[in-house]
Amino acid sequence: MDQFRIEGGHRLEGRVTIGGAKNAALPAMAAALLTDKRIELHNIPRVRDILTMRSLLDELGVDSSLKHEREGNCLVIQARTPPDPVAAYELVKQMRASVLVLGPLLARLGHARVSLPGGCAIGARPINLHLKGLEKLGATVNIQHGYVEARVDRLRGDLIQFDTITVTGTENLMMAATLAEGTTVLENAAVEPEVQDLAALLIAMGAKIDGLGSPTIRIQGVTRLAGAKHTIIPDRIEAGTFMVAAAITGGHLVLDRTEPRHLTAVIAKLAEVGVQIARVKSRGQGPGFEALEVRGTPPFRAADMVTQEYPGFPTDMQAQYMALATQGSGSSVITETIFENRYLHALELARMGADITVDGRRAVVRGPTPLSGANVQASDLRASASLVLAGLAADGESVVDRVYHIDRGYERIEEKLNRVGAKISRVSQG
Ligand code: EPZ
C-alpha cells in the first residue's frame, strides 16, 4: 500500500487543471449498457474508480477503450451484444457505485444479479430506495446470498417518491425509466450537477426527460436508445479541495477547467471565512470550463457549516472544510446531515494538533491551532484529502497511510500539488 510523505509549510502558487467529475463519469459509463450503440465520453478523469467501473463493464462483456486527450481522457464504450447480467462481489465490494449497473441491466435485459455493496467507512449506505423504486416499476426483487436478483418482462412507468434524497438512487431509476413502458415520475429526486449531467447524456441518447435540476423528474419511456457523444462536467469536489489547499497554505492558485456555478455554496463559505476567490479567464476549452483564482492568508474567521444536498454545502467537502476550520479564529460548528459516521478524519487531524470535539452529527473545531506533522491514516476518500491538506499546512513531515483511498477520486494528486510548490513523495509500501 502506498503512503504520502508530506513536508509541510510550503505555500502553493501557480495553476492547476481540474479533471472531469468522477461522480458524473461513473453513471455515464453505466448508461452505456442501455444501448448497443457507441457511447463516447470526454473529460474522463483517470482515477481508480473509473478503472474499477471499466473492469466491471469488461466482466459484463462490454468492451471499452480509454485514450488520452489534450484535456482529460476519452472513453468509448459499446455494449454491442446484450451484456452479461451478473455483477460479482469481487468488484462491487471495491466500489459501491457498481450498483449503478443494476437499473440499466434490468431495463436492457429484464434481468440483473448484482452483489449487494457492503457497508462503508462513512455509513451503512443501504440501497433500499433503489430496490423499492425498481419494484414500483414492476420488477421482482429478491435478496439472497448477498446478491440482489431482479427480474421483469418490461419495466412499466409509475410514480416513485424517494423517502430520502439519494444521488445514485435517482440515477439508477432515471436510467431504468428511460426504457420503461409509459411515463415515470421521480419525486424528491436528487438535483446534484452529476445527476443533471447524466440526464443530459441520456437525452443525447434519445431519452425523453423533463424537470432537469428540479426535485421532480419526468421520464417518458422509449423502446431503444441511440449512441451519443458527451463531455463530463468538471469535478466540483476536486476543485473545492484545491481551493482549500490554496487557502490553508496561505497560497495563490488559479484552477482551470472548473464550473463555478456548481460551487456556489463552497465559494460562499470559503469567502465567509476570509478566502479571496475570483472568476478569471480559463486556459481550458469553451463554455462550462471557467477558472477560479483563490488566495488565502491564515488565520481565517471561524464559521459554522451544515452539509446539505445540492445546492447546499456538499458532504464530500466536509472533511476538507474541517481541515481549514482548524486555522479559523474561534469555534466552527460543523453538522454532517447526510452520513452518520463521516468524522473519522477528526481523530487523525487531532493527532496533528487540531482541537475538535465530535458529538454525533456535530463536530466543534476550535482554532487556530498550529498543526504538526504526524503519521496519520486515511479511512475514506475525502478523509484522506483532508489529511493531505492538513499535512501541507503542518510544521514538519506528515506520513499519510493508505493513499489508495485518495487515488479513487483524485488523479495523481501529489503530482498536481508538487507542480505548484508542495513537497510530497509517494512511497510504495509493497
Ligand atoms: C453519492 O453517493 C456520491 N457517490 C457520494 O460521493 C456522495 O457523498 C453522496 O452521493 C451524497 O452526495 C457517487 O455519486 C458515486 P446517497 P450515494 O444515496 O448515492 C441514504 C465520494 O466521496 N440512502 O445520496 O451512495 C444514505 O445512507 C462519494 O465521491 C438510503 O438510506 O449517496 C445516505 O445517508 C462518497 N437508502 C443518504 O441517503 C438508499 O437506498 C444519501 O445517500 C440510498 C441512500
Side-chain angles (χ1 to χ4, degrees):
M1 282 192 260
D2 291 0
Q3 55 181 217
F4 281 161
R5 290 185 183 280
I6 305 171
E7 182 188 294
H10 302 281
R11 61 186 296 280
L12 303 187
E13 175 82 44
R15 295 187 85 110
V16 174
T17 299
I18 298 301
K22 158 179 93 80
N23 290 349
L26 292 171
M29 291 169 75
L33 294 169
L34 290 164
T35 177
D36 60 357
K37 301 295 183 289
R38 187 177 185 275
I39 299 296
E40 187 177 304
L41 302 173
H42 295 270
N43 201 29
I44 292 283
R46 199 182 283 268
V47 298
R48 247 162 57 90
D49 275 5
I50 298 298
L51 304 182
T52 304
M53 184 60 97
R54 274 195 77 197
S55 304
L56 177 54
L57 290 176
D58 183 51
E59 193 177 273
L60 299 176
V62 176
D63 57 335
S64 63
S65 63
L66 184 64
K67 61 179 190 297
H68 189 66
E69 290 184 317
R70 192 168 57 84
E71 302 287 4
N73 302 282
C74 173
L75 178 64
V76 174
I77 308 172
Q78 187 163 2
R80 284 187 183 77
T81 55
D84 184 301
V86 181
Y89 175 67
E90 280 316 307
L91 276 167
V92 175
K93 75 175 181 184
Q94 291 176 40
M95 182 182 66
R96 312 178 42 73
S98 307
V99 74
L100 284 166
V101 303
L102 179 57
L105 286 175
L106 194 56
R108 172 91 182 265
L109 305 173
H111 171 212
R113 188 164 183 271
V114 175
S115 168
L116 273 172
C120 161
I122 61 179
R125 300 181 73 184
I127 59 167
N128 58 312
L129 301 179
H130 299 233
L131 305 183
K132 195 173 149 190
L134 291 173
E135 286 177 322
K136 196 75 189 302
L137 299 184
T140 305
V141 176
N142 289 306
I143 292 181
Q144 50 190 2
H145 311 304
Y147 277 78
V148 173
E149 187 95 37
R151 286 185 181 281
V152 71
D153 291 336
R154 187 182 177 195
L155 294 168
R156 281 186 324 281
D158 206 322
L159 168 63
I160 293 171
Q161 286 152 321
F162 289 106
D163 302 341
T164 55
I165 295 172
T166 161
V167 171
T168 50
T170 301
E171 292 166 345
N172 232 336
L173 288 154
M174 183 163 65
M175 288 189 281
T178 58
L179 293 177
E181 187 173 358
T183 299
T184 298
V185 176
L186 305 181
E187 284 193 350
N188 200 25
V191 298
E192 269 67 3
E194 294 76 23
V195 176
Q196 298 182 49
D197 200 41
L198 171 65
L201 167 61
L202 293 170
I203 290 167
M205 292 167 67
K208 297 188 181 335
I209 303 174
D210 293 311
L212 273 200
S214 89
T216 302
I217 302 175
R218 182 180 298 274
I219 304 112
Q220 191 183 327
V222 295
T223 50
R224 68 178 52 79
L225 291 171
K229 293 182 182 178
H230 180 71
T231 298
I232 298 294
I233 54 172
D235 192 316
R236 59 195 170 105
I237 305 302
E238 184 188 18
T241 304
F242 276 92
M243 290 166 76
V244 173
I248 205 169
T249 60
H252 171 209
L253 289 181
V254 175
L255 309 183
D256 283 308
R257 294 172 64 80
T258 67
E259 175 44 88
R261 283 182 299 123
H262 297 160
L263 280 159
T264 48
V266 174
I267 290 169
K269 186 54 67 179
L270 295 187
E272 183 184 344
V273 304
V275 182
Q276 293 129 35
I277 303 163
R279 294 166 77 152
V280 294
K281 185 153 173 29
S282 173
R283 279 187 182 161
Q285 68 201 38
F289 293 98
E290 293 187 40
L292 282 172
E293 183 172 24
V294 187
R295 294 171 194 272
T297 318
F300 297 98
R301 289 186 285 276
D304 296 349
M305 183 276 282
V306 182
T307 65
Q308 288 162 326
E309 292 87 358
Y310 192 83
F313 192 96
T315 174
D316 291 350
M317 276 297 300
Q318 178 257 103
Q320 298 91 314
Y321 180 74
M322 183 180 281
L324 186 63
T326 67
Q327 304 310 306
S329 301
S331 292
S332 302
V333 179
I334 295 174
T335 307
E336 172 57 63
T337 69
I338 309 294
F339 292 110
E340 67 269 25
N341 188 33
R342 201 169 197 174
Y343 286 134
L344 294 172
H345 42 284
L347 296 174
E348 297 300 299
L349 291 171
R351 298 186 61 248
M352 298 174 77
D355 176 353
I356 305 170
T357 310
V358 173
D359 173 17
R361 296 267 183 147
R362 273 169 31 117
V364 180
V365 185
R366 290 176 190 81
T369 54
L371 298 176
S372 60
N375 283 33
V376 288
Q377 191 150 296
S379 55
D380 61 87
L381 167 54
R382 307 303 174 181
S384 47
S386 167
L387 299 177
V388 170
L389 293 169
L392 293 174
D395 175 35
E397 181 182 80
S398 298
V399 178
V400 180
D401 255 339
R402 301 187 175 181
V403 292
Y404 61 84
H405 286 298
I406 207 165
D407 290 335
R408 294 190 50 182
Y410 295 90
E411 188 170 347
R412 306 298 297 181
I413 193 170
E414 79 277 16
E415 291 175 12
K416 285 192 177 182
L417 287 167
N418 287 339
R419 274 200 290 275
V420 288
K423 296 257 184 294
I424 305 177
S425 54
R426 179 185 288 260
V427 179
S428 289
Q429 294 295 302

